[in-house]
């Protein structure tokens, strides 16, 4: 009987799991090569300040177009990179390329722009993180205020004491820290008191039905009020319509990011967007 049970256990390793495992392994190998063979690209999504209607900066987002496998979403390959030990290398690639792009814009005279860069929890726990960032900034001759790091709540839950030190060291440098996907993590709100953060990025899941859902509106209102009392900035992600934008403005949200203002775009298109925005900023809604 016991033997049978034991044997049955192996039946749980289904064809579906086998396929998923194969896909992961395939992506892992492909990703290793992609980093070496320059198959990766960064796209830049603009962020708009609702108080003065000005472009504040861009978020750098990874794109991967594989010659045979086609387009692969970062939502799929970032976890693969994290599980396979590739994330450190990939994260360095992102930091380097985002900062180099920021340097170009800075040299063109756009010195007020901020580049938001996503950090994986794996990178956040890397002891060399600050050295890597400082080196890249020095190479590009950029002040620290030119970049902002986006971390998720999950980066802060494990070993909170160390995480607080890391956040403080980053802030000490003059680099801003935003909490990405705010409101969707599993941590308690007490970290807002213990960590010296700058900005909350209100997750798009609360923004999507903002106009129709009383619950979502209550949550977004509460986040904005709380942030204001704590001296933190707010940015709403996933803003897809003018109605969303004006409601968020009424609620006192500082900034927005989403398809309504601009999609993530390659460097040349982002540069054109930037020039056009400076020449003729969007009219107040
Ligand atoms: P995220 O950092 O929360 O980025 C926002 C995601 O929302 C992006 O998806 C963006 O394309 C999408 N988005 C922006 N505006 C809208 C909108 O109006 N409507 C909708 N429906 N979506 C919108 P993307 O580029 O597919 O990235 C997904 C996630 O992958 C990111 O979420 C981030 O967690 C991760 N990621 C992307 N690039 C990097 C990177 O360089 N490093 C790390 N560690 N993670 C990255
Ligand atoms: Mg982000
Ligand atoms: Mg987000
Ligand atoms: Mg997200």
């Amino acid at each position: 009987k016991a033997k049978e049970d034991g044997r049955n256990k192996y039946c749980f390793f289904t064809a579906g799991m086998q396929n998923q495992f194969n896909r992961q392994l395939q992506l892992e190998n492909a990703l290793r090569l992609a980093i070496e063979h320059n198959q990766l690209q960064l796209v830049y999504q603009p962020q708009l300040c609702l108080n003065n209607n000005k472009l504040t900066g861009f978020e750098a987002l990874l794109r991967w177009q594989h010659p045979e496998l086609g387009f692969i979403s970062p939502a799929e390959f970032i976890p693969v990179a994290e599980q396979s030990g590739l994330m450190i290398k990939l994260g360095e690639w992102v930091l380097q390329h985002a900062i180099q792009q920021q340097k170009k814009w800075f040299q063109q005279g756009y010195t007020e722009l901020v580049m938001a860069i996503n950090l994986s929890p794996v990178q956040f726990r890397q002891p060399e993180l600050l050295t890597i960032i400082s080196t890249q900034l020095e190479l590009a001759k950029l002040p620290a205020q030119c970049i902002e790091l986006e971390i998720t709540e999950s980066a802060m839950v494990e070993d909170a004491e160390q995480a607080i030190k890391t956040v403080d060291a980053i802030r000490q440098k003059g680099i801003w820290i935003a909490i990405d996907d705010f409101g969707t993590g599993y941590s308690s709100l007490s970290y807002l008191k213990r960590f010296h953060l700058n900005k909350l990025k209100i997750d798009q899941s609360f923004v999507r039905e903002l106009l129709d859902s009383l619950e979502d509106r209550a949550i977004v209102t509460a986040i904005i009020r709380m942030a204001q009392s704590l001296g933190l900035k707010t940015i709403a992600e996933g803003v897809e319509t003018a109605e969303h934008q004006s409601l968020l403005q009424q609620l006192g949200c500082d900034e927005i990011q989403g398809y309504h203002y601009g999609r993530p775009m390659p460097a040349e298109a982002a540069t054109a967007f930037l020039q056009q925005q400076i020449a003729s900023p969007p009219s107040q809604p």
Side-chain angles (χ1 to χ4, degrees):
K1 182 105 195 19
K3 223 177 189 176
E4 236 167 46
D5 283 343
R7 200 179 321 135
N8 281 343
K9 278 205 179 109
Y10 294 95
C11 295
F12 287 114
F13 197 75
T14 60
M17 287 165 76
Q18 181 72 50
N19 285 341
Q20 197 194 331
F21 180 74
N22 287 344
R23 167 84 174 169
Q24 280 218 359
L25 209 62
Q26 184 184 37
L27 288 185
E28 189 182 318
N29 291 325
L31 190 56
R32 215 179 291 276
L33 294 171
I35 301 172
E36 286 162 24
H37 295 154
N38 263 321
Q39 281 170 9
L40 298 167
Q41 195 196 1
L42 286 178
V43 288
Y44 304 92
Q45 185 173 33
Q47 301 179 332
L48 176 72
C49 173
L50 295 176
N51 304 314
N52 63 12
N53 233 26
K54 278 189 182 155
L55 172 81
T56 55
F58 292 88
E59 177 179 14
L61 294 159
L62 262 172
R63 292 292 175 264
W64 181 17
Q65 181 72 39
H66 188 273
E68 281 104 47
L69 302 170
F71 174 79
I72 303 155
S73 160
E76 185 178 11
F77 71 76
I78 295 282
V80 172
E82 285 171 337
Q83 284 155 29
S84 63
L86 281 170
M87 193 61 231
I88 295 288
K89 210 173 166 204
L90 183 59
E92 264 192 72
W93 187 94
V94 170
L95 280 166
Q96 187 198 337
H97 285 79
I99 289 173
Q100 282 304 311
Q101 180 56 52
Q102 181 68 347
K103 176 189 177 179
K104 287 184 191 159
W105 287 332
F106 193 86
Q107 288 179 338
Q108 287 168 29
Y110 303 110
T111 54
E112 308 279 288
L113 283 186
V114 176
M115 179 74 83
I117 303 171
N118 291 285
L119 271 196
S120 155
V122 177
Q123 291 173 275
F124 184 73
R125 286 193 285 269
Q126 177 189 18
E128 302 81 17
L129 175 69
L130 210 57
T131 313
I132 292 167
I133 295 173
S134 301
T135 307
Q136 289 300 335
L137 285 172
E138 274 162 36
L139 280 172
K141 300 192 176 65
L142 285 180
Q145 301 83 261
C146 280
I147 64 166
E148 175 178 295
L149 299 174
E150 294 190 4
I151 57 175
T152 52
E153 290 165 51
S154 58
M156 297 182 288
V157 287
E158 195 184 300
D159 196 354
E161 292 313 313
Q162 185 53 48
I164 289 170
K165 283 187 192 145
T166 306
V167 164
D168 286 345
I170 293 170
R171 289 290 315 276
Q172 195 82 45
K173 271 247 132 209
I175 298 170
W176 272 40
I177 299 183
I179 300 304
D180 207 348
D181 307 336
F182 182 76
T184 61
Y186 293 97
S187 58
S188 77
L189 285 176
S190 67
Y191 77 84
L192 292 177
K193 186 171 80 176
R194 305 174 62 208
F195 287 84
H196 304 111
L197 310 164
N198 301 97
K199 201 188 265 190
L200 303 181
K201 279 196 101 170
I202 304 169
D203 190 67
Q204 41 184 292
S205 62
F206 303 119
V207 176
R208 204 170 298 136
E209 281 150 50
L210 191 58
L211 298 164
D212 308 309
S213 157
L214 287 176
E215 289 86 357
D216 285 337
R217 194 184 294 212
I219 290 169
V220 170
T221 306
I223 294 175
I224 293 169
R225 293 257 172 79
M226 180 180 67
Q228 284 170 341
S229 333
L230 291 170
L232 299 171
K233 293 256 175 221
T234 46
I235 178 166
E237 31 177 31
V239 178
E240 295 188 355
T241 70
E243 289 74 30
H244 283 85
Q245 178 175 329
S246 63
L247 179 53
L248 284 158
Q249 187 169 23
Q250 281 171 42
L251 295 177
C253 190
D254 295 302
E255 296 173 16
I256 54 149
Q257 178 182 343
Y259 296 165
H260 175 63
Y261 182 52
R263 296 205 168 233
M265 42 200 140
E268 311 78 63
T271 305
F273 184 90
L274 177 57
Q275 290 162 347
Q276 183 259 322
Q277 287 295 300
I278 301 296
S280 54
S283 54
Q284 299 274 357

